Amino acid sequence: VEEEEERKQGEKDTQMERKKDEKEGSWKDFIYNPRTGEFLGRTAGSWGLILLFYLIFYGFLGGMFSLTMWVMLQTLDENVPQHQDRVASPGLVIRPHAVEIAFNRSDPANYNHYIQQLHDLLQNYNDSIQERNDLCLVGEYTEQDNEPVKKVCQFKRSTLRQCSGLPDPSFGFKEGKPCIIIKMNRVIGLKPEGDPYINCTAKRATSLQMQYFPSEGRLDKMFFPYYGKNAHPDYVQPLVAVKLLLTKEDYNIEQTVECKVEGSNLRNDDDRDKFLGRVTFRVKVSE
């Protein structure tokens, strides 16, 4: 009986080892079968046909995509956007770039970062650089649609006088009467009608005295139209500086100022876009 049981157990062990060998052999044969030369279940010829199919298929897709892009690019002008109807009127931005300008006039460390932004902005407006540009007719558009090289009208830094950073490198921050520089965003082909100018008002019961540079905050039409970054690479847009003539009674009180472009057909009253033709900022000076 014992011999019979040992014999059955031996047969059972032999069968298990055989199944194990067959299983290992099947996995090895699936990866590479030396008898048929198959790799992962396919012969070299089969793999070659599959690769050829996908090469042709993706090559065709790539060609179609390239052709579509080429046709689309033929319809574009590298200097003028094809669609710009959503920016018919430009927005206004200020420097220093801050919604709230708060500083202690007695501590230069409080406002140095503000005046550095103004100096950086005006580097391209230095008189020595602007003298290389053209003198244009005041009050007239500088139209040059057919000119291959677009001329650039002069806007000298010294035009901003007390807010140029030349007579006073602190731009008025040291005396508590800061200068804010306003510029209009560039829009290709824009030719504002009328006589555009910047007008600023303080949102308070009494008026706040201000000085504008250039006088009356004018944005002269000779700086329009703009022809784009590629066609008009050295273009400089006109600036308007506003000097807030704050008094000691105004210190430690937040002043809200709104500036708008007026005197032209440019929009400044769209409630859906608070920066279209206008900009609002807050100033608080302490000592």
Side-chain angles (χ1 to χ4, degrees), residues 12-44:
K12 188 175 181 181
D13 293 341
T14 301
Q15 290 176 356
M16 291 179 65
E17 289 178 1
R18 186 181 302 158
K19 288 181 180 180
K20 183 178 180 180
D21 292 340
E22 289 177 354
K23 188 175 182 180
E24 291 178 355
S26 64
W27 276 106
K28 292 179 180 178
D29 288 345
F30 175 74
I31 295 174
Y32 177 71
N33 191 327
R35 297 188 303 277
T36 61
E38 293 178 346
F39 176 71
L40 295 178
R42 292 183 178 277
T43 63

Side-chain angles (χ1 to χ4, degrees), residues 63-82 230:
M64 286 292 295
F65 176 77
S66 299
L67 178 62
T68 303
M69 291 296 295
W70 180 82
V71 171
M72 184 188 71
L73 290 174
Q74 301 313 299
T75 67
L76 302 180
D77 187 324
E78 63 177 4
N79 297 319
V80 182
Q82 187 171 13
N230 290 332

Side-chain angles (χ1 to χ4, degrees), residues 124-127 129-144 149-157 159 186 219-227 231-239:
N124 289 334
Y125 292 85
N126 285 335
D127 289 14
I129 296 176
Q130 288 302 309
E131 285 171 357
R132 305 171 197 164
N133 295 334
D134 295 278
L135 289 171
C136 301
L137 293 175
V138 175
E140 300 289 336
Y141 296 124
T142 306
E143 297 188 79
Q144 40 192 335
V149 178
K150 313 299 183 186
K151 66 180 180 180
V152 178
C153 297
Q154 288 186 13
F155 189 101
K156 292 184 177 181
R157 180 174 183 166
T159 305
R186 302 177 181 185
L219 295 166
D220 200 283
K221 291 195 291 186
M222 67 179 173
F223 296 100
F224 303 96
Y226 167 57
Y227 287 93
H232 222 165
D234 299 321
Y235 173 84
V236 291
Q237 61 226 84
L239 304 175

Side-chain angles (χ1 to χ4, degrees), residues 28 33 62 94 118 129 160 162-163 179 189 206 210 215 218 241-242:
K28 292 179 180 178
N33 191 327
I94 64 167
L118 297 175
I129 296 176
L160 302 180
Q162 297 177 41
C163 289
C179 290
T206 58
M210 306 179 196
S215 61
R218 293 187 68 238
V242 181

Side-chain angles (χ1 to χ4, degrees), residues 169-213:
S170 76
F171 292 91
F173 280 77
K174 185 176 181 179
E175 61 176 337
K177 299 178 180 180
C179 290
I180 309 299
I181 295 181
I182 303 164
K183 63 177 182 176
M184 196 161 60
N185 291 333
R186 302 177 181 185
V187 176
I188 296 175
L190 176 69
K191 293 192 292 184
E193 298 175 3
D195 189 15
Y197 65 94
I198 298 296
N199 182 51
C200 299
T201 55
K203 295 184 177 181
R204 64 181 200 177
T206 58
S207 62
L208 174 61
Q209 294 298 311
M210 306 179 196
Q211 280 184 299
Y212 295 92
F213 307 99

